[in-house]
């Protein structure tokens, strides 16, 4: 079953800079897709289009068979009037955590489930504490983000996204703001989610991680998908010269 599908996505900034050029990609239930590529290749913009943070200039977006966006007769993207249900299908973990600094860890996790999803405070707190335990952060519920390390803040951000019970989780460079020493703990959490069959799309520069954890690797450059397929094949034996050039900077 397809959880998310993007078709023929186009995005141009300032009327000149074409960032996404007719990109199509879909993600099946339980699939882990890693998106790799150089800076400026359009990876993060693609994620922002998929999560409704950036409007497409053309293309279609569908979640679980429900259309969030489609093309009008002029080929421009039109969005559904009510996107609340669509937004409930996905979660997004940012590079820089984006936690509410004036909320405790527990309130960061319970605020949206109560105010947006309409769950009771008791149910939201029970879910939040279970997720914090899963992240190894049971003792941090009453702390504020400024009292946590970068790795702990990112684990809280992942738990916050999971608290909404999304069908698919997007990660935009989840380790880029962390010291190498802390990167491992975040990759361990994502690896655990993959083992639990969580559907995920991960923009990453961690090539070995993408090769070992993803079901499919997508290499983007210049606003297009250059190559995609089995992680071992794409990362260890790429077919396209541009992919080989990019991966030559990484030790496999």
């Amino acid at each position: 079953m397809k959880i998310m599908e993007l078709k023929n996505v186009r995005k141009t900034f300032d009327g000149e800079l074409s960032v996404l050029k007719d990109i199509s990609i879909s993600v099946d239930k339980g699939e882990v897709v890693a998106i790799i590529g150089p800076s400026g290749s359009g990876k993060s913009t693609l994620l922002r289009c998929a999560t409704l943070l950036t409007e497409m200039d053309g293309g279609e977006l569908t979640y679980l068979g429900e259309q969030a966006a489609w093309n009008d007769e002029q080929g421009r993207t039109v969005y559904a009037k009510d996107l609340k249900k669509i937004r409930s299908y996905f979660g997004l973990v940012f590079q820089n955590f984006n936690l509410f600094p004036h909320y405790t860890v527990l309130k960061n996790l319970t605020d949206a489930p109560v105010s947006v999803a309409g769950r009771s405070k008791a149910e939201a707190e029970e879910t939040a504490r279970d997720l914090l335990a899963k992240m190894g952060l049971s003792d941090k519920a009453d702390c504020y983000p400024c009292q946590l390390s970068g790795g702990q803040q990112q684990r809280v951000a992942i738990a916050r996204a999971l608290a909404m019970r999304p069908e698919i989780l997007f990660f935009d460079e989840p380790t880029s703001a962390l010291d190498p020493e802390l990167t491992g703990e975040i990759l361990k959490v994502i690896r655990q989610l993959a083992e639990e069959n969580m559907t995920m799309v991960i923009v990453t520069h961690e090539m070995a991680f993408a090769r070992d954890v993803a079901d499919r690797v997508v290499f983007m450059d210049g606003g297009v998908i250059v190559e995609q397929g089995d992680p071992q094949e794409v990362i260890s034996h790429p077919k396209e010269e541009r992919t080989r050039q990019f991966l030559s900077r990484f030790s496999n």
Side-chain angles (χ1 to χ4, degrees):
M1 178 175 65
K2 283 183 171 48
I3 298 293
M4 186 277 296
E5 190 169 15
L6 283 162
K7 287 184 181 178
N8 308 116
V9 177
R10 292 179 288 105
K11 181 62 187 178
T12 301
F13 288 110
D14 301 323
E16 297 179 358
L17 181 61
S18 183
V19 180
L20 299 176
K21 305 169 184 176
D22 198 33
I23 283 190
S24 296
I25 187 171
S26 63
V27 183
D28 291 333
K29 186 173 179 62
E31 188 178 22
V32 178
V33 177
I35 302 179
I36 63 172
S39 296
S41 60
K43 307 183 304 295
S44 291
T45 301
L46 184 65
L47 246 62
R48 291 182 65 85
C49 287
T51 54
L52 302 170
L53 292 175
T54 294
E55 287 194 1
M56 304 179 289
D57 295 326
E60 301 176 21
L61 172 61
T62 305
Y63 278 93
L64 294 167
E66 296 181 36
Q67 280 195 311
W70 57 91
N71 288 329
D72 64 12
E73 292 179 357
Q74 285 74 43
R76 294 170 301 197
T77 300
V78 177
Y79 284 83
K81 290 183 179 178
D82 186 3
L83 290 168
K84 182 178 179 181
K85 186 177 179 183
I86 295 286
R87 291 182 193 280
S88 74
Y89 292 144
F90 61 79
L92 174 60
V93 179
F94 298 90
Q95 295 181 29
N96 295 308
F97 326 136
N98 282 29
L99 299 174
F100 295 115
H102 56 296
Y103 285 175
T104 64
V105 165
L106 187 65
K107 187 162 175 57
N108 263 284
L109 265 65
T110 59
D111 186 58
V114 172
S115 61
V116 178
R119 293 183 208 143
S120 69
K121 184 178 178 181
E123 181 188 0
E125 286 196 2
E126 182 180 3
T127 299
R129 292 187 186 280
D130 286 345
L131 286 168
L132 289 175
K134 183 176 182 177
M135 299 292 160
L137 297 170
S138 293
D139 59 336
K140 304 298 183 183
D142 297 323
C143 293
Y144 288 86
C146 65
Q147 298 173 299
L148 306 178
S149 70
Q152 289 170 334
Q153 288 186 61
Q154 191 60 298
R155 278 183 279 160
V156 171
I158 295 171
R160 180 178 64 178
L162 289 170
M164 290 297 285
R165 300 171 187 161
E167 295 287 342
I168 182 171
L169 202 52
F170 293 90
F171 293 85
D172 187 9
E173 297 283 7
T175 61
S176 67
L178 302 176
D179 295 333
E181 189 175 316
L182 300 175
T183 294
E185 65 186 57
I186 300 306
L187 297 182
K188 182 180 177 182
V189 168
I190 299 174
R191 191 184 299 268
Q192 181 183 348
L193 292 173
E195 290 170 356
E196 296 170 359
N197 295 316
M198 183 73 204
T199 309
M200 293 184 283
V201 177
I202 308 163
V203 169
T204 183
H205 278 112
E206 301 289 338
M207 296 302 131
F209 174 77
R211 181 188 59 204
D212 296 342
V213 174
D215 298 301
R216 175 163 43 111
V217 166
V218 176
F219 172 62
M220 288 182 63
D221 189 35
V224 301
I225 293 175
V226 176
E227 185 171 352
Q228 65 176 312
D230 178 86
Q232 291 286 347
E233 290 299 314
V234 173
I235 293 178
S236 301
H237 308 287
K239 293 176 180 153
E240 301 295 329
E241 177 59 29
R242 181 65 189 97
T243 316
R244 286 195 288 272
Q245 289 174 356
F246 174 73
L247 290 169
S248 67
R249 297 181 296 140
F250 300 92
S251 58
N252 293 334

